[in-house]
């Protein structure tokens, strides 16, 4: 039976579609099977590669371990030489720096501290910590370099025994292979025992027992206290940074981290953690070192670590040759003087008055010599890198140098030495004496605090801080106050920073990079580091440097606070500095720090004296003269045979300018006006004004009462029975210059009659005195108004005649800010 055409068509279409489906099923199943087969073989290949790779890693580790099982990676000492290639020290680590202790003699808490800090899954993994490696790789990718360690204790032992410290993927792989081999060969206890006996603890000390003896004088590890255990466990991460001698504060910070890890892992109680964290180091317990030039050698080692990125262990033991800038004659002279107890005050107990000194060649930044303390061989604390309050030795940096650098001030410019408060801050001269308007060179020579603060206030704190930063001393935000003018800093400065800053004044305005290393070569003679001489930068004009030098030369001349620094007829410039003891609930005139920083045309040096910790039983009785005397003693011997030079003199210097003083000052009482009329002879200079100063009986100091362009002034602010003394100065605002004070005249104000001068005088006019550095105050002229008996004028306060090096006028500022 015939079907309709449409239905047939539909039937054929379905049949065709069905046939099509049937035809495509076969090829698709074939493709899927091919993909599965391909994946199978890829996975199989990967498994084979992984197995082969794992076997190669295992075999490589076994091979290295078998070949080097007895290897000690400390067999070639590095040496330090001077510029003439003469050996001055060898950094070989002898067996005396390593003492083995068996596992059963290592206290459980000591083991726990190292495991908790270095590898808390030590007893769970098989030598490598995959979680730790993954975390390290992520951090390396983020940092775009191989910085993160994340090694297990076993891996660290592998590296210490057989590898260098190059942080590369290949080294990490080799390190892991050795770690796996170690884990198969030895038990966890054996690995931990070897690790604790081989790990480096800084200062040339290997192994936990040697470190305990060196840092704490503890031979029996069972007698270690928790704070000592945590300190030791914190050192291996960075031995040069976290050992308690080189950096006590950073070591205590690291100790706190270890204690927290131990607490978090349930190894100690909260009470134990808090008690151990409160202990302050007493570093005098450290055992002694031997050898020559110990401070200098340690400084070289620290600088080499910084410049090369190598570890201290590698630098000591891998056969490097380090060429330095040391001058052994100067170093020996310095060490001899610091060994002389007569150079220091006597302490009431075993805690010594400490000191440090560093000498630098200001023309290239070479560190010539340094001593870090009187007993450096015992303590190992390098005080040339420790921050202390600089006191008045900071004035050339933040006050006078900054002012001269503005171009508005010169050594002959005048400053105000007056008792004045700036808000709540009221600086004072230590002897309570104020001279009013004085030349800048007198203010710094006598180290007058009031003048320094006045000057910084005039130029602005920002200019002072900016100039200090140009000299390599970046101050804190807390230093944006006027106490900085007197060296009252938030954190302080180091002798190395001070010698660098003063060196820029000494060499004509260039800031050098202080350095002790010229070059470092490996055991094959390949150069791995060389000092870059282009690091010096000009930070001030030659004129500024020369004018500051002029000011500082006055400090060491007769009448200056640093007169004891002189030696050998050489040109010398410098500045003293002292800071108050500042002991809570204890009043004393003693000091916490004393300084002298100075220079000749050849070398610059900084000297610091003080106790490491100041308290009511440990503070300095004497002032900065002792530091100046140490400068003289060391430099005179160190510079024997060194050719004399002169300070560089730039061209285009301005001459020493002075304004003519005021003559002919006359004071007369006017009954009609009820005033004191002052007249004087005018000064023939353009833009001249006159400043009038007066002091009434009962007042301690003169104060400015007026400024006028006319050579006369009427003082109406008077009362009966007052004794008033006046003087006048000339002032030229365009040059910020003020003349020396005129002769003083005194008048006694009573009622009724006209004032007449005393016999033998004409209205108080006298001849001016001869100019001098610090003119003495002559008795003022007395003018008495009839109607009362003559009243003698108050006797002016004399300038102190004490030894200026021992009782400076302004070297002791107000207590610095907390911190």
């Amino acid at each position: 039976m015939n079907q309709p055409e449409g239905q047939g068509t539909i039937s054929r279409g379905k049949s065709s579609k069905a046939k099509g489906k049937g035809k495509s099923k076969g090829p698709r199943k074939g493709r899927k099977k091919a993909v599965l087969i391909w994946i199978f073989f890829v996975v199989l290949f990967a498994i084979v590669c992984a197995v082969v790779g794992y076997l190669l890693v295992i075999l490589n580790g076994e091979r290295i371990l078998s070949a080097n099982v007895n290897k000690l990676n400390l067999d070639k000492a590095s040496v330090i030489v001077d510029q003439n290639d003469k050996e001055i020290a060898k950094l070989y680590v002898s067996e005396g720096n390593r003492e083995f202790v068996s596992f059963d003699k290592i206290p459980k808490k000591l083991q726990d501290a190292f495991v908790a800090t270095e590898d808390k899954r030590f007893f769970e993994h098989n030598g490598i910590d995959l979680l730790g490696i993954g975390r390290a790789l992520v951090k390396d990718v983020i940092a775009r370099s191989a910085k993160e360690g994340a090694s297990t204790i076993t891996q660290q032992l592998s590296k210490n025994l057989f590898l260098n410290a190059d942080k590369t993927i290949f080294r990490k792989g080799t390190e892991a292979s050795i770690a796996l081999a170690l884990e198969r060969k030895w038990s966890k206890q054996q690995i931990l025992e070897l690790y604790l006996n081989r790990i480096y603890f800084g200062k040339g000390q290997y192994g936990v027992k040697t470190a305990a003896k060196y840092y704490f004088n503890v031979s029996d590890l069972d007698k270690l206290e928790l704070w000592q255990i945590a300190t030791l466990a914190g050192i291996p991460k960075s031995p040069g940074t976290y050992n308690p001698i080189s950096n006590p504060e950073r070591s205590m910070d690291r100790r706190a981290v270890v204690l927290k890890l131990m607490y978090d892992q349930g190894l100690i109680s909260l009470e134990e953690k808090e008690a151990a964290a409160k202990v302050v180091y007493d570093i005098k317990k450290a055992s002694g070192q031997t050898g020559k030039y110990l401070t200098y050698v340690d400084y070289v080692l620290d600088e080499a670590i910084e410049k090369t990125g190598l570890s201290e262990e590698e630098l000591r033991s891998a056969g490097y040759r380090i060429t330095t800038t040391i001058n052994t004659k100067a170093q020996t002279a310095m060490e001899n003087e610091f060994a002389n107890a007569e150079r220091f005050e006597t302490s009431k107990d075993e805690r010594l008055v400490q000191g440090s000194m560093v000498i630098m060649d200001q023309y290239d930044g070479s560190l010539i010599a340094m001593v870090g303390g009187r007993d450096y061989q015992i303590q190992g604390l390098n005080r040339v890198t420790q921050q202390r309050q600089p006191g008045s030795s900071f004035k050339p940096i933040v006050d006078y140098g900054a002012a001269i650098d503005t171009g508005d001030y010169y050594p002959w410019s005048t400053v105000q030495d007056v008792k004045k408060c700036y808000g709540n801050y009221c600086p004072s001269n230590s002897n309570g004496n104020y001279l009013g308007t004085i030349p800048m060179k007198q203010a710094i020579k006598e180290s007058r605090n009031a003048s320094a603060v006045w000057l910084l206030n005039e130029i602005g704190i920002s200019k002072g801080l900016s100039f200090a930063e140009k000299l390599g001393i970046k101050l804190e935000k807390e230093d944006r106050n006027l106490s900085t003018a007197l060296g009252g800093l938030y954190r302080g400065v180091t002798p190395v920073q001070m010698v660098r800053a003063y060196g820029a004044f000494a060499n004509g305005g260039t800031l050098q990079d202080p350095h002790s290393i010229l070059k470092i070569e490996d055991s094959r003679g390949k150069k791995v580091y060389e000092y870059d001489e282009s690091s010096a930068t000009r930070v001030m004009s030659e004129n500024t440097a020369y004018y500051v030098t002029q000011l500082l030369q006055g400090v060491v001349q007769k009448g200056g606070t640093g007169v004891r620094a002189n030696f050998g007829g050489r040109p010398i410039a410098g500045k003293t500095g002292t800071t108050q003891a500042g002991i809570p609930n204890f009043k004393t005139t003693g000091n916490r720090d004393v300084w002298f920083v100075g220079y000749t045309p050849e070398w610059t040096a900084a000297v610091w004296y003080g106790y490491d910790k100041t308290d009511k039983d440990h503070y300095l009785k004497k002032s900065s003269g002792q530091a100046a005397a140490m400068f003289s003693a060391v430099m005179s011997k160190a510079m024997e045979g060194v050719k004399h030079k002169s300070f560089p003199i730039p061209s285009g210097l301005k001459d020493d300018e002075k304004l003519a003083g005021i003559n002919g000052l006359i004071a007369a009482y006017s009954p009609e006006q009820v005033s004191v009329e002052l007249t004087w002879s005018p000064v023939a200079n353009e833009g001249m004004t006159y400043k009038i100063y007066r002091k009434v009986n009962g007042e301690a100091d003169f104060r400015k009462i007026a400024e006028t362009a006319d050579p006369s002034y009427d003082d109406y602010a008077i009362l009966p029975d007052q004794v008033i003394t006046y003087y006048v100065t000339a002032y030229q605002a365009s040059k910020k210059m003020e003349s020396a004070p005129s002769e003083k005249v005194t008048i006694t104000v009573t009622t009724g009659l006209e004032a007449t001068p005393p016999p033998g005088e004409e209205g108080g006019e006298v001849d001016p005195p001869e100019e001098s550095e610090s003119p003495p105050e002559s008795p003022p002229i007395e003018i008495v108004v009839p109607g009362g008996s003559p009243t003698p004028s108050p006797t002016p306060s004399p300038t102190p005649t004490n030894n200026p090096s021992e009782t400076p006028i302004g070297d002791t500022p107000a207590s610095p800010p907390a911190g």
Side-chain angles (χ1 to χ4, degrees):
M1 184 175 181
N2 294 332
Q3 293 182 346
E5 184 176 347
Q7 288 181 357
T9 304
I10 292 172
S11 178
R12 284 195 301 271
K14 286 182 179 179
S15 175
S16 226
K17 190 173 182 180
K19 287 180 182 178
K21 283 183 178 180
K23 288 180 181 178
S24 64
K25 188 172 182 181
R28 285 189 179 183
K29 284 185 177 180
R31 284 197 298 271
K32 287 181 180 180
K33 181 182 279 188
V35 169
L36 290 173
I37 293 172
W38 183 82
I39 291 174
F40 171 78
F41 280 107
V42 168
V43 171
L44 180 63
F45 179 75
I47 292 173
V48 171
C49 288
V51 171
V52 172
Y54 180 76
L55 291 174
L56 288 175
V57 168
I58 295 297
L59 292 173
N60 184 52
E62 293 286 356
R63 179 185 60 79
I64 296 174
L65 185 60
S66 298
N68 300 282
V69 69
N70 295 317
K71 178 179 178 182
L72 297 178
N73 192 25
L74 302 166
D75 56 354
K76 192 166 186 179
S78 296
V79 296
I80 296 177
V81 299
D82 63 15
Q83 296 184 59
N84 298 318
D85 210 36
K86 181 180 178 181
E87 182 178 311
I88 64 168
K90 182 170 286 189
L91 301 179
Y92 182 74
V93 181
S94 67
E95 289 301 317
N97 297 81
R98 186 187 299 106
E99 188 172 349
F100 188 87
V101 56
S102 61
F103 186 80
D104 61 331
K105 300 293 184 182
I106 302 173
K108 179 66 164 59
K109 189 163 286 188
L110 184 60
Q111 300 173 32
D112 291 343
F114 278 88
V115 172
T117 304
E118 294 295 325
D119 183 6
K120 68 179 181 180
R121 285 183 286 275
F122 172 69
F123 290 102
E124 300 167 13
H125 60 66
N126 64 345
I128 57 175
D129 184 354
L130 296 178
L131 180 61
I133 291 175
R135 184 175 62 250
L137 288 173
V138 169
K139 291 185 178 181
D140 285 349
V141 169
I142 293 174
R144 296 186 179 181
S145 62
K147 291 184 176 181
E148 188 67 20
S151 296
T152 66
I153 282 177
T154 315
Q155 286 176 275
Q156 291 182 53
L157 180 60
S158 303
K159 180 189 71 175
N160 290 335
L161 284 172
F162 309 120
L163 302 172
N164 60 36
D166 297 332
K167 292 187 176 182
T168 65
I169 298 297
F170 296 107
R171 191 225 56 176
K172 284 185 178 291
T174 305
E175 180 184 288
S177 70
I178 299 173
L180 291 170
L182 283 173
E183 290 274 351
R184 285 194 309 278
K185 186 176 183 65
W186 293 328
S187 69
K188 290 287 187 181
Q189 288 75 18
Q190 289 175 311
I191 291 171
L192 186 57
E193 176 189 77
L194 189 57
Y195 171 81
L196 291 174
N197 280 285
R198 291 303 308 271
I199 197 72
Y200 184 60
F201 286 88
K203 295 291 182 182
Q205 308 304 308
Y206 289 83
V208 67
K209 185 169 184 177
T210 305
K213 290 174 66 175
Y214 181 80
Y215 292 116
F216 306 122
N217 278 348
V218 176
S219 298
D220 185 351
L221 297 184
D222 286 320
K223 294 182 179 178
L224 284 172
E225 298 179 31
L226 177 59
W227 70 269
Q228 294 169 322
I229 288 173
T231 299
L232 292 173
I235 294 175
K237 181 178 177 64
S238 180
T241 301
Y242 295 129
N243 77 74
I245 288 180
S246 298
N247 297 288
E249 291 185 2
R250 297 189 69 177
S251 177
M252 285 189 281
D253 291 341
R254 176 65 177 163
R255 180 186 67 186
V257 172
V258 174
L259 290 169
K260 184 179 185 304
L261 289 171
M262 294 181 72
Y263 171 71
D264 291 343
Q265 296 174 41
L267 300 172
I268 58 174
S269 67
L270 180 62
E271 291 75 17
E272 288 178 308
K273 168 182 170 291
E274 292 178 346
K278 291 179 181 177
V279 178
V280 178
Y281 293 147
D282 185 4
I283 58 173
K284 69 182 178 62
K285 292 182 180 179
S287 59
Q289 305 177 69
T290 58
K292 298 172 66 177
Y293 317 141
L294 292 175
T295 299
Y296 200 95
V297 168
D298 281 355
Y299 189 93
V300 167
L301 202 52
D302 289 341
E303 185 176 319
I305 292 170
E306 177 190 351
K307 299 299 183 183
T308 64
L310 296 167
S311 70
E312 181 182 346
E313 183 179 5
E314 290 173 289
L315 285 165
R316 283 183 174 274
S317 59
Y320 290 98
R321 190 172 191 84
I322 306 173
T323 304
T324 69
T325 61
I326 191 173
N327 181 304
T328 54
K329 180 178 180 179
Q331 182 71 29
T332 300
M334 191 182 296
E335 291 182 0
N336 289 342
E337 292 301 327
F338 271 74
N340 181 1
E342 294 181 0
R343 293 281 175 205
F344 298 85
E345 297 179 29
T346 302
S347 177
K348 65 187 301 182
D349 54 29
E350 74 280 359
R351 282 176 56 186
L352 299 177
V353 173
Q354 279 298 340
S356 63
M357 183 174 183
V358 58
I359 303 175
M360 183 186 79
D361 183 329
Q362 60 251 26
Y363 295 102
D364 60 13
S366 298
L367 294 175
I368 291 170
M370 68 175 68
V371 166
R374 294 176 67 186
D375 52 0
Y376 187 84
Q377 73 281 4
I378 297 175
Q379 292 193 356
L381 177 63
N382 190 355
R383 295 168 184 83
V384 302
T385 61
Q386 301 297 306
Q387 292 177 318
R388 302 291 298 215
Q389 296 296 323
S392 292
S393 64
F394 207 58
K395 290 175 181 176
I397 295 171
V398 77
D399 302 330
Y400 297 100
I404 289 176
D405 200 53
T406 65
D408 296 329
Y409 291 88
Y410 299 91
W412 54 86
S413 298
T414 56
V415 295
Q416 294 300 312
D417 182 47
V418 293
K419 181 68 174 175
K420 181 180 179 180
C421 290
Y422 305 83
N424 296 325
Y425 180 55
C426 302
S428 61
N429 292 337
S430 61
N431 68 348
N433 175 261
Y434 303 87
L435 302 179
T437 302
I438 58 174
M440 184 186 287
K441 59 184 179 182
Q442 181 182 355
I444 194 170
K445 179 177 184 176
E446 298 175 359
S447 199
R448 293 185 168 270
N449 287 340
S451 303
V453 176
W454 177 89
L455 184 59
L456 181 58
N457 186 63
E458 287 291 304
I459 66 172
I461 295 174
S462 294
K463 282 189 172 64
L465 299 186
S466 176
F467 191 73
E469 186 169 350
K470 287 198 296 184
L471 292 178
I473 301 176
K474 184 173 177 57
L475 299 175
E476 307 291 334
K477 62 180 181 180
E478 291 85 355
D479 293 316
R480 297 190 68 85
N481 58 74
L482 289 176
S483 67
T484 299
L486 308 182
L489 306 182
Y490 183 68
R491 297 194 184 280
V493 291
T494 70
V496 170
Q497 287 178 304
M498 292 296 282
V499 83
R500 183 189 191 197
Y502 272 62
F505 296 136
N507 66 26
T510 299
L511 187 70
Q512 297 287 348
D513 180 19
H515 61 282
S516 63
I517 298 175
L518 293 175
K519 62 180 179 180
I520 301 175
E521 299 166 304
D522 64 17
S523 58
R524 298 180 299 276
K526 180 182 178 182
K527 196 175 294 181
V528 298
Y529 168 78
E530 186 170 21
Y531 174 69
D532 182 7
E533 296 181 355
S534 66
S535 59
T537 56
R538 175 161 292 281
V539 294
M540 72 184 88
S541 69
E542 291 181 340
N543 286 11
T544 294
Y546 181 75
Y547 287 138
V548 173
T549 296
Q550 277 192 319
L551 290 175
L552 297 183
Q553 283 184 284
V555 173
V556 300
Q557 293 170 359
K558 184 177 181 180
T561 60
V563 67
R564 293 176 64 186
N566 282 293
F567 69 91
R570 291 180 183 268
I572 299 171
K575 184 69 187 74
T576 53
T578 66
T579 62
Q580 292 175 336
I583 303 168
N585 304 315
F586 183 73
K587 188 174 183 180
T588 177
T589 58
N591 298 309
R592 178 181 297 264
D593 307 279
V594 303
W595 293 75
F596 181 80
V597 188
Y599 49 92
T600 69
E602 300 82 19
W603 294 346
T604 304
V607 182
W608 167 83
Y609 273 39
Y611 283 94
D612 289 327
K613 296 177 183 177
T614 304
D615 55 41
K616 63 183 180 63
D617 295 319
H618 303 92
Y619 60 89
L620 299 175
K621 312 296 190 301
K622 298 180 181 179
S623 191
S624 50
Q626 56 189 321
M630 177 63 83
F631 174 92
S632 175
V634 173
M635 296 287 276
S636 61
K637 294 180 176 63
M639 300 192 74
E640 287 178 354
V642 176
K643 186 178 179 180
H644 286 231
K645 296 181 181 179
S646 299
F647 289 120
I649 302 176
S651 58
L653 287 174
K654 287 192 175 183
D655 294 330
D656 188 344
E657 297 184 28
K658 293 180 181 178
L659 288 181
I662 300 296
N663 293 322
L665 177 61
I666 299 174
Y669 174 69
S670 171
E672 296 82 8
Q673 301 293 329
V674 192
S675 66
V676 175
E677 298 176 347
L678 300 170
T679 59
W680 56 88
S681 301
V683 175
N685 284 62
E686 184 178 350
M688 192 65 62
T689 58
Y690 306 95
K691 295 184 179 183
I692 298 93
Y693 297 84
R694 82 171 192 176
K695 180 172 69 173
V696 179
N697 58 311
E699 295 179 347
D701 299 291
F702 284 90
R703 62 186 180 87
K704 188 178 80 170
I705 60 171
E707 184 171 352
T708 177
D710 298 321
S712 63
Y713 178 75
D714 293 338
D715 184 10
Y716 292 96
I718 62 174
L719 294 172
D721 300 320
Q722 281 186 326
V723 178
I724 310 175
T725 304
Y726 298 92
Y727 72 81
V728 179
T729 65
Y731 181 69
Q732 194 168 15
S734 61
K735 297 182 178 180
K736 297 185 182 295
M737 292 177 60
E738 189 169 0
S739 73
S742 68
E743 277 298 319
K744 297 176 178 65
V745 295
T746 298
I747 187 168
T748 301
V749 178
T750 60
T751 57
L753 297 175
E754 185 178 352
T756 58
E761 300 290 348
E762 292 295 325
E765 182 177 352
V766 295
D767 293 331
E770 294 183 3
E771 293 181 347
S772 65
E773 180 69 36
S774 181
E777 295 191 38
S778 57
I781 299 170
E782 182 181 291
I783 300 179
V784 182
V785 177
S789 58
T791 303
S793 64
T795 302
S797 301
T799 301
T801 57
N802 306 68
N803 184 339
S805 64
E806 294 301 328
T807 55
I809 291 170
D811 257 7
T812 304
S815 297

